[in-house]
Amino acid sequence: MPSPDLPADATGPARRRIRPIVLLAGAAATGFGALYVTGLLASGDDAVLAGTRVHGVDIGGLSRSQAQERLDQQLGKTWPEPVKVRIGDRTATIDARAAGFSLDSAQTVAHATRAGADPLTVIGRLFTGGDRDIEPVIRADEAKARAVLTKTATQYDSTPRNGTVTFEQGKPVPVEPRDRHSLDVRGAAEALNSAVLSRQAGPVALPVVRRSESPVDAAEVNRAMTQFARPAMSAPVTVTVAGRQIPISPVTVGKHLTMKPDKNNRLIPELDGKALLQDPAVARPLAPVTGKVAEAKLRPVGDRVVVSDGKTGREVTAKGIEQAVLPLLTRTGAARTAALAAKETQPKVTGDRLRALGIKEKMSTFTVNFERAPYRTTNVGRAAELINGSVVLPGETWSLNRTVGERTKANGFVDGIIIQNDQYTKASGGGVSTVATTVFNALFFAGVKPLEHGAHSFYIERYPEGREATVVWGSLDLKFNNDSGNAIYIQASATDTSVTVSFFGTKKYDSVEAVTGPRTNVKQPGSRPGAAKNCLPQTPLEGFDVNVDRVFRSGGKEAKRETFKTHYVPRDEVTCGPKTSD
């Protein structure tokens, strides 16, 4: 039967021509397959073909696991290499491993094995000995790449800058506007990934976002330089105060001068007047003609009183110097000088007024000594501080309670020992009676009229008998009327163990003396136990009455005599501690 692949009229010779071709093709296929099998047998079906290299590391002839291990040891710890990038006009180097790029050794070996299984490659390896380079497979971690690029962006991003003018060492310096440049982290991550995977040579350009955010452009900077900054720094300006000329150099002005955009983005100058006034280059020459008002004062010197005249206050404000200096900066020559406004304040108390008071000499002085105690030091010192400097005009009444105030912690006083209900106890302001006694003796010998005073209920040895006083807030005061005909200045000072009070004015009498009479109506003290809680012991002392005469003398003769009568109750002995049986 004829072959179905041949024409029906085919003869024997035609069939004989086809058969050798088919047999030859079959023989070739059989030979190719044999060579392929031979190649596979030569290399091993699980082995990487000999001569295979990955980035210079030879893995040929190794099993897959061996090849992967070799790549991890020799290449995985050092590859991929750092990538050079360009951000705008700057360059940087990115650590590819820190950015999440790493060698995938398993996929690289698998790729090498698949490539090695190609029949032509297998057969070719039987007749050639050349090496074969395989591209490594890279694993990428996008999150790590973005993290590294975000950190890089903080170093290379540029903030926008307004165009402006600054002043340095008396010279104007133009500052050109600058756009905002920021790294496009998302786009940069994609570019970095593409570059690493393709092993791109040369710096990789990372995308940058540019935004123009400066409302002040270069043209406005040039205008400000020409119309204001250069003229402002061209020469000193001069201000005049109270006839005194004070030059201010460009260096000094420039330290406190800035230019800022207004609502129309036009640069305008701003001068820090407060800082300019405090600058030594301005403050020093201003000091002799400015300052706070000074009131005239009395200053006792020995037995006399010196009057220090007051001083007119003259104040220059920050706004005043701004208004004076700014207009001068764009002028030339003599026009760069202007008057600086100053507010004048006259003293309320003048030297002439104080001299008219008639405070010329020391009228009296008295000192009381006491044992050192912390509460006395505090309370006596505070009371003396509040009394010192009192001026009592003719006919006025002076009050210790009004002058010193309530003896509270807020007023500077602490708890101390006082006499209450004929015995020692603790209360705020203890020790102030020492000051009251000192004031009483000073007014006694100054010859002025006492209006209110009271002695302690029992006698205290450190005070002169019949010439002492105590005060109680709200019930007992020490007051006197200045009937000397001239003003009186009271000076008070204290140490840890004494207080001294002096009256200055004009003496009405040549001298004032004290004549103390004998003690009368003497009564002996008793004895009693103290309180169970917070007991203060008390030594006994007799009670008595005593009269003290105040004798006024003028021209060597007695002009007047006054008698002060004082009654003291006995000071009972007070004992503290457990009772003892007889």
Side-chain angles (χ1 to χ4, degrees), residues 398-413:
W398 183 89
S399 160
L400 187 144
N401 277 343
R402 183 177 65 243
T403 303
V404 173
E406 187 173 2
R407 273 69 81 183
T408 62
K409 182 178 180 180
N411 195 22
F413 294 90

Side-chain angles (χ1 to χ4, degrees), residues 477-522:
D477 199 356
L478 173 61
K479 296 179 180 179
F480 72 87
N481 176 261
N482 178 13
D483 61 348
S484 69
N486 292 285
I488 291 175
Y489 176 87
I490 303 176
Q491 182 185 48
S493 62
T495 68
D496 288 348
T497 57
S498 68
V499 57
T500 300
V501 175
S502 302
F503 278 35
F504 291 84
T506 299
K507 292 181 179 181
K508 190 175 181 179
Y509 301 94
D510 292 344
S511 65
V512 178
E513 301 172 358
V515 178
T516 304
R519 296 181 178 182
T520 60
N521 194 26
V522 177

Side-chain angles (χ1 to χ4, degrees), residues 30 33 90 93 107 153 193 195 199 211 215 220 240 372 414 421 446 483 503 524 528 539 543 566 573:
T30 301
R90 288 174 287 183
T93 300
Q107 290 298 321
N193 183 69
R199 299 182 63 187
R211 295 186 183 91
E220 175 57 20
T240 58
R372 186 192 306 268
V414 297
N421 297 327
D483 61 348
F503 278 35
Q524 297 303 315
R528 51 192 170 83
T539 58
T566 306
E573 180 182 24

Side-chain angles (χ1 to χ4, degrees), residues 165-173 228-237 247-259 269-273 275-276 279 281-282 325-326 329 336:
V165 175
T166 62
F167 302 91
E168 299 178 8
Q169 296 297 316
K171 302 292 183 183
V173 179
F228 178 80
R230 290 192 183 97
M233 297 292 102
S234 64
V237 295
I248 307 175
S249 71
V251 172
T252 301
V253 173
K255 286 193 296 183
H256 312 291
L257 185 64
T258 56
M259 297 200 76
E270 288 188 7
L271 181 64
D272 187 344
L276 183 60
D279 193 302
V282 176
V325 171
L326 272 175
L329 297 178
R336 292 177 74 89

